[in-house]
Amino acid sequence: MASRRPGHGHSSRYGRYAGGPDPLAPPVDLAEALDAIGEDVMAGYSPERAMQEFLRRGGRDQTGLDDLARRVAERRRELLQRHHLDGTMTEVRELLDRAVLEERKQLARDPMMDEGDRAFRQMQLDGLPPSTAAAVSELADYDWSSRQAREDYERIKDLLGRELLDQRFAGMKQALENATDEDRAAVNEMLADLNGLLEKHRLGEDTQADFEEFMDKHGDFFPERPANIEELLDSLAQRAAAAQRMLNSMSPEQREELMQLSAQAFGSPELMDALGQLDANLQALRPGEDWGGAEQMSGSEGLGLGDGTGVFQDLADLDELSEQLSQSYEGARMDDLDLDKLARQLGDEAAVDAQTLQRLEKALRDTGYMKRGSDGELRLSPKAMRQLGKALLRDVAQRMSGRQGQRDLRQAGAAGELSGATREWAFGDTEPWDVTRTVTNAVVRTVAEGGDARRAVSLEIGDVEVTETEARTQAAVALLVDTSFSMAMDGRWVPMKRTALALHTLIRSRFRGDHLQLIGFGRHAEVMEIEQLTALDAMWDKGTNLHHALLLANRHFRKHPNAQPVLLVVTDGEPTSHLEPDGEVFFSYPPHPLTVAYGVRELDNAGRLGAQTTFFRLGEDPGLARFIDSMARRVDGRVVAPELDDLGAAVVGSYLGSRGSRSTFGDPYGDWFGGRGFWVGD
């Protein structure tokens, strides 16, 4: 809520929104969405597809598109299984039987009637054909002796007229109940004027004034109040196409009966001529509507012509919603969802669920979590990568500490160089305050609570942030991750990426002075940015070029001569390729002795540079185990054989161990539990 201060016309003061839930708050848990999207991206999905998959699945408390689509399909199936198309015919038959019965009663009890006339009338009734339409037609000229029978027969004509009009104009059946001749004349006049307007429109001769004149005269027939002739055409054509699909869905016998009965509508052949002309105009002006579809109905609840047309419109709406919810067409967006139709078909709650998904997609795009690259492809933004990395790092911390949700070490180093990070003060902290962050927190809180920060700012414990210091040297870290086809084939692709992102986040947020280089190695090796690695599709080229990866790692170490080299190698196979002196890749399986020798030579070079080395062996291959063990012994390194779920904790733990004293074989997490830890904020 904003308030103006006297004398300051353009100044506003804002406090917390107090009118209920914050209307600007994210509609769903973006963190949950980002975690799920990140997992799919690391599994090889594009960010666009990963986002669509999350929208399909939904979240813990959020209905997804697939569930809405399932409900749409169930609704469609329920309509088809509940109804049949004989409703009007059944109602006409009932009225006819009642009229004939009343006439027979009158003939039996009328003492004044001539016996010959009585016998002739009974013969006419006895000779009625079994076809309802034929019987109604044959009785058109019958001279009813029973007033009740005559009224029931006239109701047949009235019912047929109202049903036929209701097919084209929803609600007409009820509106024309007990209609007078004047009412029927008004309908005929409206149809004549409407056909005239549509004919002019088809020839391109109509104007908006023509439409407005028509609506001024006949607007009561169109409660939806279309704004122009195009809107009127859309409404009429959709309804008429649904009526045609209903007719297409009838058996040939049903259609024949209906066409014969239609001639009796209101006892006016002119009505059928006008409706036929209307249908022709609508089909000519809206040929894109579905005029040829049909459905198979198998239920027990009869549908009249008007109600049946409404059901066929519902089926069309459900088909349209099904396509929208599929999001499988080119250029599909959540904004395509017709919330009004969804509310009509599935209820308001479904529309709210869909609207929430729309807001989620918009939030992911508009709040900086997704961005489009120069090639137009959607990517996870650096902001999204940081958020995802924090979540992965929290998971790593929980696995390493064994204490769900605990922060492993509040102290970041009581003495030493500044880490560049700050955190909220907690009891027992002795680090110096970060005055700028502390005062900023107090100002922001004061303004949010409705205070005037220009007059006075009071500090509270929650405002205080302390600087973090670290007693350590810099490290040059090379994380070598195997990207050969076996990593993807054996389900190690995503854990590898999760590990790289967790380590990257840790170093970028907590050890900013360290230098991390990510190197992927398959048939050849490549230095990768974290965004490139996490979005990397599974590679199916054969080859594990450890030699090339170590070459790149040693180059990284030499660029930072004053930093402690840390070499971390994640692999599930022996080296099967190396770089030749001319730069070409040599591949051989089983491993060629020259390939092994080249790899050993570069590992020795890393050892001479002082690299603290840890191999993370994935899989149970005995040959790999022997090779990795021998490589580690050459450089006094370590070997860790973690479960896939613990790979991230193993790599991060080894890195943290390397930040303390040098260690050899033993605890796979290095000096983590006895040395320094780290704190992962929210």
Side-chain angles (χ1 to χ4, degrees):
M1 179 73 74
S3 61
R4 291 283 176 89
R5 296 173 59 238
H8 296 75
H10 297 289
S11 296
S12 299
R13 179 166 56 85
Y14 294 88
R16 291 179 178 173
Y17 183 76
D22 184 358
L24 301 180
V28 293
D29 184 359
L30 285 180
E32 180 192 10
L34 186 61
D35 287 348
I37 291 170
E39 285 288 323
D40 284 345
V41 167
M42 287 190 285
Y45 288 6
S46 69
E48 184 84 46
R49 182 184 171 192
M51 180 173 67
Q52 291 299 325
E53 287 299 315
F54 178 77
L55 294 175
R56 288 182 186 284
R57 295 191 303 264
R60 288 186 298 271
D61 302 313
Q62 172 62 50
T63 298
L65 291 173
D66 284 348
D67 187 62
L68 291 173
R70 175 187 57 77
R71 292 171 60 189
V72 164
E74 288 177 351
R75 167 73 174 154
R76 192 183 198 284
R77 187 164 53 251
E78 184 264 337
L79 287 177
L80 293 175
Q81 293 176 349
R82 181 201 302 175
H83 299 296
H84 67 81
L85 302 178
D86 281 339
T88 296
M89 299 296 295
T90 300
E91 197 170 352
V92 168
R93 187 78 223 183
E94 289 174 353
L95 286 171
L96 177 64
D97 289 344
R98 192 163 67 190
V100 170
L101 178 61
E102 290 298 326
E103 180 68 7
R104 290 185 185 280
K105 289 180 180 178
Q106 181 64 27
L107 293 176
R109 64 175 173 249
D110 186 353
M112 306 297 296
M113 181 175 292
D114 179 76
E115 288 300 323
D117 185 30
R118 190 195 313 272
F120 179 73
R121 290 171 182 270
Q122 287 177 339
M123 183 180 65
Q124 282 183 288
L125 297 179
D126 292 340
L128 288 175
S131 164
T132 301
V136 170
S137 178
E138 189 165 317
L139 290 172
D141 298 323
Y142 181 80
D143 183 17
W144 299 91
S145 59
S146 166
R147 182 178 59 82
Q148 181 63 50
R150 182 183 299 108
E151 290 177 356
D152 287 337
Y153 183 79
E154 291 300 322
R155 285 195 187 98
I156 293 176
K157 297 179 181 180
D158 179 72
L159 171 67
L160 290 170
R162 290 188 293 121
E163 286 278 20
L164 289 169
L165 287 170
D166 204 36
Q167 276 191 302
R168 278 76 173 183
F169 309 94
M172 195 71 81
K173 180 180 179 181
Q174 290 76 25
L176 289 179
E177 192 169 9
N178 300 318
T180 64
D181 290 339
E182 184 178 322
D183 295 329
R184 297 187 184 95
V187 170
N188 288 330
E189 184 180 9
M190 181 273 291
L191 288 173
D193 290 347
L194 177 58
N195 280 319
L197 177 64
L198 296 184
E199 183 66 21
K200 289 182 68 175
H201 184 70
R202 188 175 65 83
L203 298 173
E205 299 174 354
D206 66 310
T207 65
Q208 180 66 15
D210 292 331
F211 170 77
E212 292 173 355
E213 180 182 354
F214 173 81
M215 290 301 296
D216 287 341
K217 185 176 181 181
H218 303 296
D220 290 345
F221 289 100
F222 306 94
E224 65 275 15
R225 304 302 296 179
N228 51 54
I229 193 169
E230 296 299 334
E231 289 187 9
L232 176 64
L233 267 172
D234 287 340
S235 175
L236 291 174
Q238 289 167 8
R239 181 97 181 158
Q244 183 61 49
R245 291 194 300 276
M246 180 179 180
L247 186 65
N248 299 342
S249 302
M250 293 179 177
S251 67
E253 295 76 17
Q254 288 174 320
R255 283 196 296 273
E256 179 64 26
E257 288 266 296
L258 182 60
M259 296 307 296
Q260 291 182 32
L261 283 172
S262 298
Q264 304 297 323
F266 286 151
S268 169
E270 292 80 6
L271 174 63
M272 285 305 300
D273 291 341
L275 291 177
Q277 184 182 354
L278 175 61
D279 289 344
N281 282 326
L282 292 174
Q283 290 196 40
L285 290 167
R286 287 293 186 270
E289 292 289 339
D290 182 9
W291 299 95
E295 300 288 350
Q296 185 69 39
M297 291 193 167
S298 58
S300 58
E301 185 177 317
L303 285 172
L305 298 180
D307 290 341
T309 299
V311 167
F312 275 79
Q313 279 191 294
D314 286 341
L315 292 172
D317 285 352
L318 291 167
D319 288 341
E320 186 176 344
L321 286 171
S322 180
E323 182 179 12
Q324 293 170 4
L325 290 167
S326 75
Q327 293 283 287
S328 59
Y329 49 92
E330 186 175 357
R333 293 289 294 266
M334 289 297 300
D335 287 343
D336 297 341
L337 292 182
D338 190 324
L339 300 182
D340 291 335
K341 284 184 180 178
L342 200 58
R344 285 199 304 271
Q345 299 300 332
L346 299 184
D348 292 338
E349 185 178 346
V352 170
D353 287 334
Q355 187 178 50
T356 301
L357 291 173
Q358 287 179 334
R359 290 174 178 169
L360 169 61
E361 182 191 48
K362 180 174 173 53
L364 286 169
R365 295 181 188 273
D366 295 351
T367 57
Y369 287 111
M370 314 285 276
K371 67 175 184 179
R372 292 204 177 272
S374 57
D375 57 358
E377 292 294 322
L378 202 65
R379 291 187 172 89
L380 292 179
S381 68
K383 178 180 179 181
M385 296 297 295
R386 288 193 298 271
Q387 188 74 18
L388 181 58
K390 287 179 181 178
L392 294 176
L393 198 52
R394 280 194 294 270
D395 180 63
V396 166
Q398 290 166 5
R399 288 183 176 277
M400 295 175 70
S401 69
R403 300 186 300 275
Q404 182 78 11
Q406 284 191 322
R407 293 170 175 169
D408 295 288
L409 189 63
R410 302 283 315 185
Q411 301 287 96
E417 60 180 305
L418 293 175
S419 69
T422 65
R423 57 176 168 78
E424 183 180 342
W425 177 90
F427 180 77
D429 282 336
T430 59
E431 288 81 9
W433 286 16
D434 185 315
V435 177
T436 301
R437 295 294 299 271
T438 298
V439 173
T440 299
N441 291 341
V443 170
V444 171
R445 178 185 49 77
T446 299
V447 172
E449 291 175 351
D452 189 346
R454 292 173 296 183
R455 295 183 177 179
V457 175
S458 61
L459 291 179
E460 295 184 358
I461 290 296
D463 300 327
V464 179
E465 291 200 24
V466 296
T467 60
E468 294 186 337
T469 59
E470 297 175 336
R472 62 178 177 84
T473 59
Q474 286 185 327
V477 185
L479 175 61
L480 282 55
V481 291
D482 191 341
T483 58
S484 62
F485 83 99
S486 60
M487 290 284 287
M489 182 177 64
D490 295 334
R492 297 161 185 155
W493 198 253
V494 173
M496 173 270 289
K497 291 183 178 182
R498 289 172 60 91
T499 297
L501 183 52
L503 182 63
H504 178 274
T505 302
L506 174 63
I507 292 176
R508 289 291 181 266
S509 61
R510 305 295 298 166
F511 298 93
R512 296 173 186 172
D514 288 357
H515 309 283
L516 171 65
Q517 188 166 84
L518 301 173
I519 300 172
F521 63 99
R523 195 175 187 89
H524 68 279
E526 179 183 359
V527 175
M528 296 181 174
E529 296 297 325
I530 187 61
E531 293 84 2
Q532 181 185 1
L533 178 60
T534 53
L536 186 67
D537 284 338
M539 292 184 166
W540 302 103
D541 288 339
K542 294 182 178 180
T544 304
N545 200 331
L546 181 61
H547 166 239
H548 192 187
L550 290 170
L551 277 171
L552 296 176
N554 288 335
R555 183 184 304 171
H556 175 61
F557 296 150
R558 293 186 183 101
K559 286 182 180 179
H560 305 283
N562 297 322
Q564 168 63 56
V566 178
L567 178 62
L568 308 172
V569 183
V570 178
T571 185
D572 71 344
E574 299 173 75
T576 55
S577 61
H578 66 265
L579 283 186
E580 294 281 13
D582 61 1
E584 292 297 316
V585 173
F586 173 86
F587 170 79
S588 173
Y589 183 83
H592 193 280
L594 191 59
T595 298
V596 175
Y598 275 28
V600 169
R601 185 181 68 188
E602 283 308 313
L603 182 66
D604 288 344
N605 288 339
R608 282 190 286 272
L609 291 171
Q612 297 183 19
T613 302
T614 306
F615 287 91
F616 300 89
R617 174 173 56 81
L618 304 179
E620 302 298 330
D621 180 60
L624 175 64
R626 288 191 298 270
F627 171 77
I628 293 295
D629 287 346
S630 63
M631 292 281 278
R633 280 193 292 270
R634 291 185 67 89
V635 291
D636 196 20
R638 290 181 293 184
V639 178
V640 180
E643 297 293 332
L644 279 181
D645 289 345
D646 290 326
L647 177 61
V651 171
V652 169
S654 181
Y655 161 72
L656 291 169
S658 72
R659 307 299 293 112
S661 60
R662 186 176 176 86
S663 59
T664 57
F665 295 93
D667 178 6
Y669 298 130
D671 297 325
W672 165 258
F673 292 107
R676 80 177 262 103
F678 68 94
W679 171 73
V680 183
D682 294 328

